[in-house]
């Protein structure tokens, strides 16, 4: 299109030049001109020809408007259909990943988000922060860091950190557009996790000293998410294969078990309106360590989406007891802030 436009401009310029060259003869045929009139006529026509030639050389903008906007995020998805970011960095609920791809980019665009999550119980604090990118509403890439702190002696100086990198791929279905079908949106994902050791416990510096078989591991999961727009209800079920102890904060595998086990994770949400959702989640956990009689997680949450660029999630969460050295059920508050597009 650009070349055709350029050829047209050149042809127009050539035509104008021919008219300019022929102008004196045409003017002469119309009647004689004085020397001053002839000079002024020639100067005016030469200026017009010069302007036409400059326009032809400049040509049109080489980038079409639709091409200039091709890489701009389109924010094409419905509000809240990107989910929030869960504590391990993937798009979903607070505790479990969903089949939804993070961000608000449609299948022709992309989206991204950054999050900060703060969970506090009677005796512990968990912080999680990171970024996630959704590409063509098909692939999700995420990176997150978890920091776990103790507040009750003798664990008041405890600090454990973990890095998590995730990949999620949508396999089939569409939670929004398949309203006339029962088939949910289905996605598969992996989480690569590495525990960075233990601080504040003196000679105990590694999760292996607590009985864990490894300080790194991989979680595999398949999630199915169904959105009923007319009823304003979202349902999700995730099946995870894992060896992780407390999501990996206490390592992977242990003295009681060191093999992958399937764990179910479930979520339900009701959209009160386009900007507000309430729901609950339940997450099963393995029991690999003698030092940690791990319990299942659950929460009840309220998520607010004032715009597609911001969401706030507040929840009541129960994480069970963390170690046999403090066998108290840990209940508390969950707050997550997410910004993106």
């Amino acid at each position: 299109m650009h070349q055709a436009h350029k050829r047209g401009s050149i042809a127009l310029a050539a035509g104008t030049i021919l008219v300019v060259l022929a102008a004196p003869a045409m003017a002469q045929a119309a009647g004689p001109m004085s020397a001053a009139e002839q000079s002024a006529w020639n100067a005016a026509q030469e200026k017009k020809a010069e302007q036409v030639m400059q326009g032809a050389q400049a040509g049109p903008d080489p980038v079409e408007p639709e091409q200039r906007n091709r890489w701009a995020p389109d924010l094409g998805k419905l509000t809240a259909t990107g989910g929030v970011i869960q504590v391990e960095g993937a798009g979903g609920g607070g505790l479990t990943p969903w089949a939804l791809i993070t961000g608000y980019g449609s299948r022709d665009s992309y989206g991204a988000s950054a999050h900060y999550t703060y969970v506090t119980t009677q005796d512990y604090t968990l912080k999680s922060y990171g970024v996630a990118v959704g590409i063509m509403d098909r692939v999700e890439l995420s990176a997150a860091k978890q920091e776990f702190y103790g507040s009750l002696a003798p664990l008041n100086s405890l600090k454990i950190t973990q890095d998590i990198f995730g990949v999620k791929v949508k396999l089939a279905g569409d939670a929004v557009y398949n309203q006339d079908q029962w088939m949910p949106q289905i996605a598969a994902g992996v989480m690569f996790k590495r525990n960075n050791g233990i601080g504040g416990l003196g000679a105990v510096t590694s999760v292996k000293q607590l009985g864990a078989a490894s300080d790194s591991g991989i979680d595999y999961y398949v999630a199915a998410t169904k959105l009923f727009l007319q009823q304003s209800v979202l349902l999700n079920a995730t099946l995870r294969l894992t060896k992780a102890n407390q999501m990996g904060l206490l390592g992977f595998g242990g003295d009681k078990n060191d093999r992958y086990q399937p764990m179910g994770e479930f979520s339900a949400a009701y959209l009160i309106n386009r900007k507000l959702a309430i729901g609950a989640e339940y997450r099963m956990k393995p029991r690999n360590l003698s030092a940690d009689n791990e319990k299942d997680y659950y929460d009840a949450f309220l998520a607010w989406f004032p715009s597609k660029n911001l969401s706030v999630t507040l929840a009541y969460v129960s994480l069970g007891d963390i170690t046999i050295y403090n066998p108290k059920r840990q209940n508390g508050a969950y707050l997550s802030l997410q910004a993106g597009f």
Side-chain angles (χ1 to χ4, degrees), residues 3 16 125 143 146 179 190 198 202 213 217 243 265 273 323:
Q3 294 297 329
T16 304
T125 297
Q146 290 182 331
Q179 292 299 301
V190 293
I198 299 175
K243 293 183 180 182
E265 303 174 10
N273 54 49
T323 72

Side-chain angles (χ1 to χ4, degrees), residues 73-84 102-106 110-114 177 274-275 304-312 338-341:
D74 60 13
L75 294 172
K77 292 163 63 175
L78 297 175
T79 301
T81 56
V84 297
T102 194
Y104 285 99
S106 70
Y110 65 96
S113 60
Y177 294 107
R274 293 184 178 183
K275 296 183 180 295
W304 178 44
F305 303 87
S307 73
K308 290 184 179 181
N309 302 112
L310 180 67
S311 70
V312 182
Q338 179 178 328
F341 54 85

Side-chain angles (χ1 to χ4, degrees), residues 11-326:
L12 176 62
T16 304
I17 293 171
L18 290 175
V19 171
V20 171
L21 293 175
M26 295 170 60
Q28 187 67 33
M33 290 190 296
S34 66
E37 290 174 336
Q38 184 71 45
S39 177
W41 176 276
N42 291 340
Q45 300 310 312
E46 288 175 1
K47 186 175 181 180
K48 288 181 180 180
E50 183 181 356
Q51 291 174 341
V52 171
M53 285 300 297
Q54 288 176 347
Q57 290 172 357
D61 188 340
V63 181
E64 299 295 333
E66 60 269 19
Q67 292 177 319
R68 285 199 301 270
N69 297 330
R70 177 179 298 174
W71 299 110
D74 60 13
L75 294 172
K77 292 163 63 175
L78 297 175
T79 301
T81 56
V84 297
I85 298 295
Q86 53 105 215
V87 288
E88 293 156 298
L95 296 178
T96 184
W98 297 351
L100 302 177
I101 301 298
T102 194
Y104 285 99
S106 70
R107 65 189 67 180
D108 299 315
S109 186
Y110 65 96
S113 60
H115 82 283
Y116 178 83
T117 299
Y118 184 87
V119 183
T120 180
T121 68
Q122 304 99 306
D123 305 319
Y124 303 100
T125 297
L126 173 65
K127 300 177 182 178
S128 174
Y129 48 91
V131 295
V133 178
I135 304 171
M136 311 293 281
D137 198 29
R138 175 68 60 179
V139 177
E140 176 184 293
L141 306 176
S142 61
K145 190 175 189 69
Q146 290 182 331
E147 298 179 357
F148 183 77
Y149 301 90
S151 60
L152 181 68
L155 303 178
N156 54 306
S157 298
L158 173 68
K159 180 181 179 180
I160 303 174
T161 65
Q162 178 174 224
D163 298 319
I164 304 174
F165 299 94
V167 179
K168 183 198 300 181
V169 178
K170 183 166 72 172
L171 302 179
D174 192 290
V176 176
Y177 294 107
N178 289 358
Q179 292 299 301
D180 59 342
Q181 303 176 23
W182 281 99
M183 181 178 180
Q185 181 168 320
I186 300 173
V190 293
M191 294 180 179
F192 303 90
K193 302 180 177 182
R194 181 168 183 81
N195 187 291
N196 298 314
I198 299 175
L201 288 186
V204 179
T205 60
S206 170
V207 291
K208 293 181 180 180
Q209 293 174 268
L210 299 178
S214 176
D215 58 6
S216 62
I218 303 175
D219 285 2
Y220 305 89
Y221 66 89
V222 176
T225 304
K226 182 62 180 175
L227 176 61
F228 300 92
L229 281 175
Q230 187 173 0
Q231 292 77 23
S232 300
V233 171
L234 180 145
L235 301 176
N236 179 83
T238 299
L239 180 66
R240 183 191 302 249
L241 292 177
T242 184
K243 293 183 180 182
N245 309 317
Q246 300 293 355
M247 298 184 292
L249 291 167
L250 296 183
F252 303 84
D255 54 324
K256 294 172 64 176
N257 179 70
D258 186 27
R259 67 180 184 278
Y260 277 100
Q261 300 178 70
M263 295 289 143
E265 303 174 10
F266 309 95
S267 305
Y270 175 71
L271 302 174
I272 299 174
N273 54 49
R274 293 184 178 183
K275 296 183 180 295
L276 199 62
I278 59 172
E281 297 180 289
Y282 186 86
R283 175 171 173 173
M284 299 171 61
K285 305 300 299 303
R287 295 165 179 81
N288 301 323
L289 293 175
S290 297
D292 177 24
N293 187 23
E294 195 165 356
K295 300 293 193 304
D296 296 348
Y297 295 167
Y298 60 86
D299 71 16
F301 65 84
L302 175 68
W304 178 44
F305 303 87
S307 73
K308 290 184 179 181
N309 302 112
L310 180 67
S311 70
V312 182
T313 304
L314 180 65
Y316 168 83
V317 62
S318 179
L319 304 179
D321 55 295
I322 306 300
T323 72
I324 60 173
Y325 308 109
N326 181 15

